[in-house]
Amino acid sequence: MPPYHHGDLRRALLSSAVDMITEHGPAGVSLRELARRAGVSNAGPMHHFKDKAGLLTALAAEGFTLLAETLTATRERTDSFVELGVAYVRFAVEKRAHFEVMFRPDLHHPDDPALTEARELAGAALAGGVEDVGDRHTGPDRRIAGVAAWSLVHGFATLWNTRNLDPELGDDPEELARRVAAVLFGQRG
């Protein structure tokens, strides 16, 4: 297929990568297939990403940026630590392709500056929620409390996305996440 100018080839490639990951998982992403889907030559993706890991690095950075925005908006809107966790779960479910790549340093370039910056923004947004909770739920070591909270929501989201939770628990990941958080925090919001 002859190459042609594409309005925003980088965006088209990232969108196609999301589709491919949704269809086949991260292992199913191929630069050649992305080029075919975008209607450009096989070399087209190389102008934006040196290799598959470069493409997945950009997708992971985009995911961390979106996660940071989601968490920040939720914190500002609700001022609820539980709802911050629910927002994390919602992100993981709605942006599953990003989520599947973000925490897989074997798939991307973990030391990429844009990825590092985006990951730090998301981490700060999550840590800010821990700061808001107070010592009653965090104890004296807020870093450990942050790891505990992150582990809870990340683990829950992963279990949900991989369909490892009992279907009898319901079909609403957000409500179930609230119920799980209530066990630990004794609150529902």
Side-chain angles (χ1 to χ4, degrees):
M1 173 172 286
Y4 68 91
H5 177 69
H6 198 287
D8 189 355
L9 180 57
R10 184 178 196 281
R11 177 78 257 143
L13 293 169
L14 288 171
S15 293
S16 288
V18 166
D19 293 342
M20 290 179 77
I21 293 169
T22 300
E23 295 164 14
H24 309 290
V29 174
S30 150
L31 291 180
R32 184 177 300 264
E33 175 61 15
L34 286 174
R36 187 193 68 73
R37 288 182 182 206
V40 298
S41 73
N42 290 338
M46 303 300 260
H47 295 292
H48 296 279
F49 312 104
K50 288 181 5 182
D51 53 16
K52 178 180 171 179
L55 169 81
L56 296 178
T57 300
L59 195 64
E62 180 178 82
F64 279 114
T65 299
L66 293 169
L67 178 60
E69 291 169 357
T70 297
L71 296 176
T72 300
T74 299
R75 185 174 172 208
E76 290 171 356
R77 188 180 72 255
T78 69
D79 198 30
S80 166
F81 188 58
V82 170
E83 288 306 310
L84 193 68
V86 171
Y88 187 99
V89 169
R90 181 183 320 112
F91 171 86
V93 171
E94 292 177 357
K95 301 288 187 189
R96 184 173 177 176
H98 289 87
F99 190 74
E100 288 189 34
V101 174
M102 291 163 57
F103 302 98
R104 295 279 312 272
D106 58 312
L107 296 177
H108 54 69
H109 301 298
D111 58 347
D112 178 81
L115 175 60
T116 300
E117 181 181 343
R119 189 173 40 234
E120 288 172 0
L121 283 172
L126 193 58
V130 173
E131 292 298 318
D132 292 345
V133 173
D135 291 341
R136 188 179 85 132
H137 291 296
T138 65
D141 192 339
R142 300 240 172 145
R143 286 184 62 198
I144 294 299
V147 170
W150 182 31
S151 298
L152 173 75
V153 294
H154 189 86
F156 177 86
T158 300
L159 290 168
W160 182 270
N161 279 347
T162 57
R163 294 180 173 84
N164 279 299
L165 294 173
D166 185 343
E168 290 184 18
L169 292 170
D171 61 357
D172 183 346
E174 294 179 34
E175 181 54 33
L176 186 54
R178 283 183 191 94
R179 289 173 42 208
V180 169
V183 170
L184 295 180
F185 298 111
Q187 58 183 355
R188 292 190 51 88

